[in-house]
Amino acid sequence: MEEKIIPDIVVGRLPLYLRALQQMEQEGRHGTSSQELGERLGVSAAQIRKDLSQFGEFGKQGTGYQINYLLTKILQILHLDRDWDIAVVGAGDIGSAVARYRGFADRGFRVAMILDNDPNKIGQQLGGFVIQDSNHAEELIQKAGIKIAMISVPAHEAQEVANRLIKGGVKAILNYAPISLNVPPGVHIQYIDPAVHLQRMTYYLA
Amino acid sequence: MEEKIIPDIVVGRLPLYLRALQQMEQEGRHGTSSQELGERLGVSAAQIRKDLSQFGEFGKQGTGYQINYLLTKILQILHLDRDWDIAVVGAGDIGSAVARYRGFADRGFRVAMILDNDPNKIGQQLGGFVIQDSNHAEELIQKAGIKIAMISVPAHEAQEVANRLIKGGVKAILNYAPISLNVPPGVHIQYIDPAVHLQRMTYYLA
């Protein structure tokens, strides 16, 4: 299955299916259908069936999906059948919120390290961690074998931080800094910029 | 121009062009090209020219774009030639970070109201606001004429909050709660869920 190239847009919908299935499981549900999933997510049942069929055969025509089975499969596909350590660089408001956020643990992620370059913050406690010096990011990341990082530093510092992280072995970056970053092939990047999300919607407002 | 239906994916790239142009302007630059913009953003020059051409003629073949002119035009297209008031519902870690965030002001948005349903938070100060009762969201939003809201409440409360906001007149929601919401046609929604962004990348990590 892994050899087939799956469009990134399809991969991007799997976490949403996963989230909905986990919510159904929490509600004590055992089975569902592409119709029901589609209604919860605002996509068509056909879309869901087509997306899932790219990865295998997970349900039976007419009987729908076993939630637990489908959950397990999607977790495997997304490599979430293990936990991933994350380094957070930038201990400002966003970085601090991330460090305290309890919602990652049951979704495959564990904040393992918090870095900042502010001498007043280095050595301080934050969310159970001692903030470490981001000028040593490369060595710290490498030593810890961390592959995933979040960047929550000011825009003008973000590219340099990304470069250090990538040198240290990071392969996936979630960037909260409001700037586009250049990363080499093989390094994945996702962006969270609330202003960008908002600006995309104002287009539609009169 | 407004009558033509522009694909949402094209609309979604305009805020990124805007952000890059604003950064160039801050750097004291006056002119740019689709090539340079493309390199900054990791998209092709042809893509940028094609996207912008959907909205009009903003540059001259061979001489590129005047940054200030293109900026002004994109701001107009995205209805950012005015400021938009935002209501933030949920005064937890995320809501508090948003309320204190200074990056919205120069990007078209102004946090105008913070709501929560926790009796211990209602009446408290946060980022210069007095937290108001989210059980009265509908009236408060309506009275203030607010069209845009951010939801940063627990997942199980988010749909009810959305319903109230929409009844009050909200037309665009940025949802930080980790759940998909149902909104009627004409209401726009965007999602920020860091775990979803991270899970999309772990697919590519061995």
Side-chain angles (χ1 to χ4, degrees), chain A residues 46-64:
Chain A
Q47 176 80 79
I48 290 174
R49 287 195 299 270
K50 196 180 155 201
D51 283 354
L52 292 177
S53 73
Q54 303 240 25
F55 300 94
E57 193 64 63
F58 303 127
K60 281 184 197 146
Q61 193 94 39
T63 63

Side-chain angles (χ1 to χ4, degrees), chain A residues 16-17 19-20 36-43 48, chain B residues 180 182 191:
Chain A
L16 302 176
Y17 301 162
R19 194 175 67 178
E36 189 194 29
L37 261 179
E39 277 165 29
R40 287 215 183 195
L41 294 168
V43 300
I48 290 174
Chain B
S180 297
N182 292 312
Y191 293 93

Side-chain angles (χ1 to χ4, degrees), chain A residues 3-167:
Chain A
E3 295 92 44
K4 193 170 134 195
I5 302 254
I6 311 270
D8 183 60
I9 190 131
V10 176
V11 173
R13 283 192 288 261
L14 290 189
L16 302 176
Y17 301 162
L18 180 65
R19 194 175 67 178
L21 289 164
Q22 285 172 328
Q23 273 150 3
M24 288 178 180
E25 196 183 45
Q26 276 171 23
E27 293 162 14
R29 304 278 310 283
H30 297 288
T32 186
S33 63
S34 52
Q35 284 75 13
E36 189 194 29
L37 261 179
E39 277 165 29
R40 287 215 183 195
L41 294 168
V43 300
S44 74
Q47 176 80 79
I48 290 174
R49 287 195 299 270
K50 196 180 155 201
D51 283 354
L52 292 177
S53 73
Q54 303 240 25
F55 300 94
E57 193 64 63
F58 303 127
K60 281 184 197 146
Q61 193 94 39
T63 63
Y65 301 106
Q66 265 201 294
I67 290 171
N68 188 270
Y69 178 72
L70 186 53
L71 260 180
T72 307
K73 285 297 174 185
I74 295 180
L75 288 170
Q76 282 169 5
I77 292 164
L78 295 177
H79 302 130
L80 295 167
D81 47 357
R82 48 161 287 185
D83 274 353
W84 292 89
D85 281 350
I86 303 176
V88 176
V89 188
D93 265 346
I94 300 278
S96 303
V98 166
R100 283 191 300 260
Y101 182 52
R102 301 187 185 286
F104 284 131
D106 54 358
R107 297 175 75 188
F109 304 99
R110 195 179 76 92
V111 174
M113 191 184 287
I114 301 176
L115 311 171
D116 202 290
N117 66 357
D118 180 346
N120 294 318
K121 289 184 180 168
I122 296 166
Q124 299 293 311
Q125 285 273 347
L126 176 61
F129 298 93
V130 175
I131 299 172
Q132 298 185 76
D133 186 351
S134 61
N135 292 309
H136 300 146
E138 189 180 333
E139 307 88 277
L140 290 165
I141 295 285
Q142 200 157 32
K143 204 171 161 192
I146 290 175
K147 299 291 169 205
I148 304 178
M150 289 193 198
I151 296 179
S152 49
V153 302
H156 66 277
E157 296 179 12
Q159 183 67 56
E160 196 194 320
V161 164
N163 296 347
R164 281 175 199 255
L165 294 172
I166 293 165
K167 274 193 201 158

Side-chain angles (χ1 to χ4, degrees), chain B residues 48-59:
Chain B
I48 290 174
R49 287 195 300 269
K50 195 179 157 203
D51 284 353
L52 293 177
S53 73
Q54 304 240 25
F55 299 94
E57 192 63 64
F58 303 126

Side-chain angles (χ1 to χ4, degrees), chain B:
Chain B
M1 223 90 61
E2 297 280 359
E3 296 92 44
K4 194 171 134 196
I5 303 252
I6 311 271
D8 183 61
I9 190 132
V10 176
V11 174
R13 283 191 289 259
L14 290 188
L16 301 176
Y17 302 162
L18 180 64
R19 194 174 69 178
L21 290 164
Q22 286 172 328
Q23 273 151 2
M24 288 178 180
E25 196 183 45
Q26 278 171 22
E27 294 163 13
R29 303 279 310 281
H30 298 288
T32 186
S33 63
S34 51
Q35 283 76 12
E36 190 194 28
L37 261 179
E39 277 165 28
R40 287 216 182 194
L41 294 168
V43 300
S44 74
Q47 176 80 79
I48 290 174
R49 287 195 300 269
K50 195 179 157 203
D51 284 353
L52 293 177
S53 73
Q54 304 240 25
F55 299 94
E57 192 63 64
F58 303 126
K60 282 185 196 146
Q61 193 93 41
T63 62
Y65 302 106
Q66 266 200 293
I67 290 171
N68 188 270
Y69 178 73
L70 186 53
L71 260 179
T72 306
K73 286 296 174 186
I74 295 179
L75 288 170
Q76 282 170 6
I77 292 165
L78 294 177
H79 303 132
L80 295 167
D81 46 358
R82 50 161 287 186
D83 273 354
W84 292 89
D85 281 350
I86 303 175
V88 175
V89 188
D93 266 345
I94 300 279
S96 302
V98 167
R100 283 191 300 260
Y101 183 53
R102 302 186 184 287
F104 284 132
D106 53 359
R107 297 175 75 187
F109 304 98
R110 195 179 76 91
V111 174
M113 191 183 285
I114 301 176
L115 311 171
D116 202 290
N117 66 357
D118 180 347
N120 294 318
K121 289 185 179 167
I122 296 166
Q124 299 292 313
Q125 286 273 347
L126 176 61
F129 298 91
V130 174
I131 299 172
Q132 297 185 77
D133 187 350
S134 60
N135 292 308
H136 299 147
E138 189 180 333
E139 308 88 278
L140 291 165
I141 294 285
Q142 200 157 32
K143 205 171 161 192
I146 291 176
K147 300 292 168 204
I148 304 178
M150 291 194 196
I151 297 180
S152 48
V153 302
H156 68 276
E157 295 179 12
Q159 183 66 57
E160 197 195 321
V161 164
N163 296 347
R164 282 175 198 254
L165 294 172
I166 292 164
K167 275 193 201 159
V170 161
K171 298 288 180 200
I173 293 172
L174 180 54
N175 180 34
Y176 282 87
I179 189 166
S180 297
L181 300 179
N182 292 312
V183 298
V187 175
H188 302 272
I189 186 156
Q190 292 270 310
Y191 293 93
I192 291 185
D193 182 342
V196 162
H197 283 85
L198 291 170
Q199 290 172 340
R200 180 179 188 153
M201 295 191 284
T202 51
Y203 172 77
Y204 299 101
L205 304 186

